[in-house]
Amino acid sequence: MDTIETARLSLRCFEPEDAEAAFRNIYSDSEVAAFMHWNMHSCVEETAQFISQFIASYGKPGFYRWAITMKENREVIGSIGFEVEDPQDAVGSLSYNLCRRFWGKGIMTEALCAVIRYAFDSAGVNRLEAFHSVRNPASGAVMRKAGMLLEGRARQKYRSHMGYEDCDLYGICRDDLPQVCR
């Protein structure tokens, strides 16, 4: 899996040494974890185990997960990726999270645009889709800014630790990749 460079970011594979920064910046924050499938981590060892699952999956067909780092210091501030469950359909399911102090600064949109380009140009994906809890509209704003289109609402799509989440589904196909992500 390639490292992806943007104007401000370096998206790279997770490494075991990332556990402390990932714990501090992402996985120990209840607000970051609020709408995720995973619960907030209580210790660095829990985060180390969590990212070891990513590391173990590198090289498996259809698995792509990057640590989001700022170029200036290379410290992990987020995670982004997609999985292609059926290569015949060439549909990837996106997910991401970001350290709270970087919210609202265009970081996730920059990372998402880079991953969308990678999926279409390098991974052979034809369609990407993502969903967010309707109680987390900022995530939908990121998807729209990256050129994804709202396709509908899925009631009780998944269960977070707060209960079942109604979600908005967004998608983007190779044919409608906007110039903003080119």
Side-chain angles (χ1 to χ4, degrees):
M1 194 171 74
D2 300 325
T3 296
I4 302 171
E5 301 286 334
T6 70
R8 298 180 288 176
L9 308 174
S10 180
L11 309 180
R12 60 163 175 81
C13 291
F14 275 95
E15 301 168 353
E17 299 78 25
D18 293 326
E20 188 176 315
F23 173 75
R24 181 178 59 253
N25 293 328
I26 311 163
Y27 298 109
S28 65
D29 188 328
S30 62
E31 287 191 50
V32 174
F35 300 105
M36 299 296 175
H37 284 107
W38 46 268
N39 290 320
M40 179 182 78
H41 295 180
S42 59
C43 62
V44 172
E45 293 76 21
E46 191 174 356
T47 301
Q49 178 61 35
F50 193 71
I51 66 174
S52 73
Q53 295 171 13
F54 296 152
I55 295 167
S57 295
Y58 289 141
K60 290 183 180 177
F63 180 84
Y64 301 87
R65 174 66 50 186
W66 292 269
I68 301 171
T69 69
M70 298 299 292
K71 281 184 174 177
E72 63 209 30
N73 65 15
R74 306 286 184 185
E75 182 175 80
V76 176
I77 61 165
S79 171
I80 189 167
F82 62 92
E83 291 186 52
V84 179
E85 294 183 17
D86 184 346
Q88 179 176 335
D89 294 335
V91 176
S93 179
L94 287 159
S95 61
Y96 51 78
N97 55 58
L98 185 66
C99 175
R100 187 172 6 143
R101 74 177 184 269
F102 292 96
W103 291 358
K105 298 179 185 206
I107 297 293
M108 189 51 73
T109 301
E110 185 174 330
L112 182 56
C113 282
V115 168
I116 288 170
R117 282 192 306 274
Y118 182 90
F120 293 143
D121 296 343
S122 300
V125 172
N126 183 61
R127 174 184 164 79
L128 287 167
E129 52 192 32
F131 58 86
H132 69 88
S133 170
V134 298
R135 295 187 294 152
N136 184 15
S139 189
V142 167
M143 293 174 201
R144 286 188 304 277
K145 288 176 190 172
M148 298 181 78
L149 302 174
L150 177 62
E151 296 182 339
R153 179 158 293 168
R155 295 176 32 241
Q156 299 183 9
K157 170 77 172 152
Y158 73 99
R159 187 175 181 175
S160 74
H161 63 277
M162 296 187 300
Y164 288 101
E165 301 288 345
D166 290 348
C167 296
D168 284 345
L169 173 68
Y170 284 78
I172 188 168
C173 297
R174 178 189 308 268
D175 291 344
D176 53 27
L177 186 65
Q179 286 302 103
V180 69
C181 284
R182 273 276 178 219

